[in-house]
Amino acid sequence: MVDATVVSEFFGYVSLACWVFVLVPQIRLNYQRKSCEGVSLAFYTLWALGDLFNLAGAILDNLLLTAIVLPAYYILTDIVVLGQFYAYCPRCPIDEEHMERQPLIARTDKKSMPWPIKAVLAVVAVVFCIVVLGLYSEWIVQMGVRRAVAQLCGYSSAAVYLSAYVPQILQNYRLKSTEGLSALMFIVVTVANITYCLSILTAQPPTHEYLSKYASWLLGASGTILLELIILYQFYLYRGNSN
């Protein structure tokens, strides 16, 4: 009979190999086109934020080695992609003559939020945080601050990952095109997430304590699979279309 540890390590290394390669097709495509057009900046910005939460939580909760190495590597590749946005972003000079011809009212249409409203929102946010801490104080004491912070990072990571795909899906829908996106990247990331979940689920018997420890990371990885499949369907739906 095959040892469960061997099976878990196999899935873990397959996932690791996929994640090492996952952004290479998109980075290469951006470099060839000298453009990030078609790629949602919000998608990669949120993805990078999710990776930071992921790494912090994995370290604090002493997760499997692959669960720590992967987000650390993700952050490096995120920096490369975000650097491409900066390098290839079109810089349009300000048309000062056109601005001078614009009426003053037209130039001051967009007003920032008044400071009293900002102050009220800040107070509401602080009160909300205090209420949440009060409600979960007993849980935090029982679990321990380090473990509680790790779990908070894990669930924050899952929430950010799930929300990251939304801007890209909406942008594809609005443009009726996936031009500028690498289909290979989304195929690889789907395989990576599936094998990542399998590596966790086969590492130990699925006890309540074990599953609760990895619940947030399983949620983030398994939840995004559906969103990745939606984007792959958009590749099929909008094939042949271009911006």
Side-chain angles (χ1 to χ4, degrees):
M1 188 175 179
V2 181
D3 188 2
T5 305
V6 175
V7 175
S8 175
E9 288 181 352
F10 169 76
F11 285 127
Y13 285 122
V14 171
S15 178
L16 181 62
C18 289
W19 280 116
V20 167
F21 175 72
V22 69
L23 279 179
V24 173
Q26 188 64 59
I27 292 172
R28 184 170 177 269
L29 182 61
N30 294 345
Y31 175 76
Q32 288 176 334
R33 299 175 73 239
K34 295 295 186 291
S35 170
C36 292
E37 207 175 329
V39 183
S40 171
L41 177 58
F43 171 53
Y44 282 102
T45 303
L46 288 171
W47 203 349
L49 180 60
D51 290 339
L52 288 172
F53 280 124
N54 193 350
L55 178 61
I59 292 173
L60 290 171
D61 220 3
N62 295 319
L63 298 187
L64 297 171
L65 181 61
T66 52
I68 296 175
V69 173
L70 284 174
Y73 177 77
Y74 303 160
I75 292 170
L76 294 178
T77 54
D78 292 337
I79 291 172
V80 173
V81 175
L82 292 174
Q84 288 184 317
F85 272 99
Y86 175 78
Y88 303 142
C89 178
R91 294 171 177 80
C92 302
I94 298 174
D95 189 346
E96 293 182 0
E97 183 181 349
H98 175 73
M99 287 294 292
E100 287 175 2
R101 290 198 300 266
Q102 293 295 320
L104 182 61
I105 295 176
R107 279 182 269 165
T108 57
D109 264 351
K110 295 183 179 179
K111 296 180 180 179
S112 61
M113 188 183 295
W115 71 263
I117 297 178
K118 291 181 180 179
V120 170
L121 291 176
V123 171
V124 170
V126 171
V127 172
F128 176 77
C129 291
I130 293 172
V131 171
V132 170
L133 287 173
L135 292 173
Y136 289 92
S137 58
E138 184 177 351
W139 173 75
I140 292 172
V141 170
Q142 289 177 352
M143 181 178 286
V145 175
R146 181 188 176 96
R147 178 78 191 282
V149 172
Q151 288 294 304
L152 180 61
C153 287
Y155 282 107
S156 298
S157 172
V160 173
Y161 281 145
L162 290 169
S163 61
Y165 286 82
V166 176
Q168 187 65 65
I169 292 171
L170 292 178
Q171 179 169 305
N172 296 345
Y173 175 76
R174 179 174 57 84
L175 297 176
K176 296 295 186 291
S177 170
T178 54
E179 187 182 11
L181 288 180
S182 169
L184 181 58
M185 186 194 82
F186 287 98
I187 293 172
V188 174
V189 76
T190 303
V191 175
N193 277 324
I194 292 172
T195 51
Y196 176 74
C197 292
L198 290 173
S199 72
I200 293 175
L201 294 173
T202 56
Q204 291 184 23
T207 60
H208 176 74
E209 182 181 357
Y210 179 73
L211 290 177
S212 65
K213 181 178 180 178
Y214 284 93
S216 57
W217 282 269
L218 286 170
L219 175 65
S222 62
T224 56
I225 292 172
L226 175 60
L227 299 173
E228 288 148 10
L229 291 175
I230 290 174
I231 291 180
L232 288 174
Y233 174 69
Q234 288 182 319
F235 274 98
Y236 171 77
L237 187 65
Y238 303 139
R239 64 192 185 283
N241 292 4
S242 66
N243 292 333

